[in-house]
Amino acid sequence: MLFMVIERFKDRDPIPVYRRVRDPGIKFPEGLTYVGSWIEPNFDRCFQLMECDDARLLQEWILSNRDLGMTFEIVPVVPSKETREVVAPFLDRK
């Protein structure tokens, strides 16, 4: 499954997070895959796409990074291509 993880940097300060990425590196539990991320220009939020079959792995990852002061929102998502496949049979129905 895919999950959009929305992180809010404490006080819009990304430095502690990027320091962790640079120094010891942020570790992901086995089975949790980082797909990509996007940061708002004002450093308010980071949008990360993650993939795993067990949401408990996301919980473990969040708990292991709680010292950075970030907050997390986890949103299960479905790729547009797969959604189009589900919607297609309904397009011509009235």
Side-chain angles (χ1 to χ4, degrees), residues 5 9 16 20 23 27 33 35-36 43 48 53 55 60 66 70 81 94:
V5 178
F9 296 114
R20 167 129 343 137
D23 295 345
K27 306 265 191 273
T33 303
V35 178
F43 300 114
Q48 290 192 30
D53 292 327
E60 181 182 332
R66 68 184 183 275
M70 296 179 298
K81 180 180 184 239
K94 294 196 184 223

Side-chain angles (χ1 to χ4, degrees), residues 1-5 48-52 55 58 74-77:
M1 290 185 67
L2 288 174
F3 297 89
M4 179 62 67
V5 178
Q48 290 192 30
L49 190 60
M50 308 286 272
E51 187 172 18
C52 66
L58 287 163
I74 300 172
V75 180
V77 294

Side-chain angles (χ1 to χ4, degrees), residues 26-34 50-52 54-65:
I26 289 183
K27 306 265 191 273
F28 297 104
E30 188 169 329
L32 178 61
T33 303
Y34 167 85
M50 308 286 272
E51 187 172 18
C52 66
D54 185 348
R56 292 177 297 178
L57 296 173
L58 287 163
Q59 292 174 324
E60 181 182 332
W61 173 68
I62 288 169
L63 288 171
S64 68
N65 288 289

